[in-house]
Amino acid sequence: MLRISLPLRLQLSLVIVVGCAFLKPNAWYWLGAYGAIALLWACLLRVPIRKLTGLLGAELIFLSLLALPLGWERASFLLVRSLICLITMNSFLLTLPPHSFGIALKSLPLPRVLKENLLLAGQYIEILVGEVTRMQRSAQLRGLNGPAGWLRYASAAMIGTLYLRSLERAERVYAAMEVRGYNGQLPTDGTLRPKERFAVAMMCAIALCLTVASYTNFGF
Amino acid sequence: MHIPDGFVSLPVAAATGLVSVVGLGIGMGRSQDAFGIRRAPVLGLTTAFIFAAQMINFPVAGGTSGHLLGGTLAAIILGSPWAGMLCIATVLIIQAVLFADGGITALGANIFNMGVIGVWVGWSLTQTLQRLFGGYKGRLPLAAGIAAGISVVVAAIACAIELALSGTAPVNIVLPAMTGVHILIGIGEGLITGGVLTYLMTARPDLLPGNQQEFKGWVVPVVSILLIAGVLSLLASAWPDGLEKVAENLGFIKLGENVRVSIPTPFADYTVNGNEGIGTSIAGIIGSIVCFGVAFGIAKLVRPNNA
């Protein structure tokens, strides 16, 4: 994996995704250019192909349910564009060291409250998943085996229990964070170095050219 | 209800984006006042919880599926619609940026539909219904369940109007389609919201708002309902509903006419004297008043003696 700092990785991924999202509909050549950039990005980050394809498959099923009723011509462009955005963001997510999303997030020019909430939500999803696993295990111990058994166990009370158990753990984690000096700000440096700023500026320029060009003809 | 990239036009995306940014800006200030550092885990965990819940789709009729929107639930647990708005907006940003669920260009529209309309309609209706039920805390899950269901339908109507204004689909097709599916999704939303709140009220009543005795601030919700009934009814499709269409196609629609007893009704076919313009609005407003009166009467009947 290339030694690219987390804030730089996040910012470059976002520039590709935002640029691709603003492409003119049915601008296939320009979408192809973004596709090539996304694949290059995935290769640079050396994303595990098996994991990436598994994630993409699951995400594309949901997307196709939304897009296909619009007709094949329109849906195909929307799906390919979504696929490129997903390759870019999944490549970033799958090569992210654990618990380091907040470090990447700190470099984004977002309001502090929103960034703090994003950070806490990201962190507490892990707690939530941990609680779900524990509850699944206790359901299995009660003889409710397999996904069908687990679903029979699911109810509003179980969702409520999950919320409360996760909240108790989240409060403990937050208290520990406060004891270690957390005050809503991550104790890490989220600013970019001059070379990294240049790389982000270059990527912004490329994305801007591609997206603006899709609204002009330039022979296509 | 997540609108993907390419479904809304630039003016619609810009207008909804502007409203969402202004709303979030105010919400951030209000949430900071309301929360401080102590309640931060509740906000963070509720955001994570709604995010996880939105990933679980449940099947509804017609081969489609829905998922919890969670705006009403978030606003009630957090005790503030501003914080609820922030919570849903965070979920939508994570979904759009990291999972391409909902477009980047449509993010403003999605936050407006689910984060602004979904949360505020749910919160306002919960407050109104809770007061109609006498402010008794035990009625909160019922009030919130009904409000959550209605908030989903109103958000879907807003989404349909945005799609129609963008030229994606004609209003007479997209409005009934979105409303029809989201009524079913709204039932699921109402059941989950009511169920979770019932559990939380038993296990951790301190997390939920306390008793509210006074019936205040009824003007805004009542006027809003009348406006919706009066204005949106003009957009209703004149096309036959599902059953009528099937009856037409299969040729049994005339069977009904054989047994029909003609009773003069003032608002037949949702019009007044056959006038489809202003008559539809009048019929919608009168219908809303009658529904409101019936609901108010039921609320008075079910109101506990000590409230």
Side-chain angles (χ1 to χ4, degrees), chain B residues 31-59:
Chain B
S31 299
Q32 263 175 334
D33 296 344
F35 279 85
I37 207 92
R38 199 184 67 80
R39 295 267 289 169
V42 185
L43 180 60
L45 183 79
T46 308
T47 308
F49 186 73
I50 301 288
F51 174 78
Q54 287 203 358
M55 289 173 76
I56 303 161
N57 283 44
F58 52 83

Side-chain angles (χ1 to χ4, degrees), chain A residues 7 12 18 35 69 78 179:
Chain A
L12 290 180
V18 172
L78 293 175
V179 167

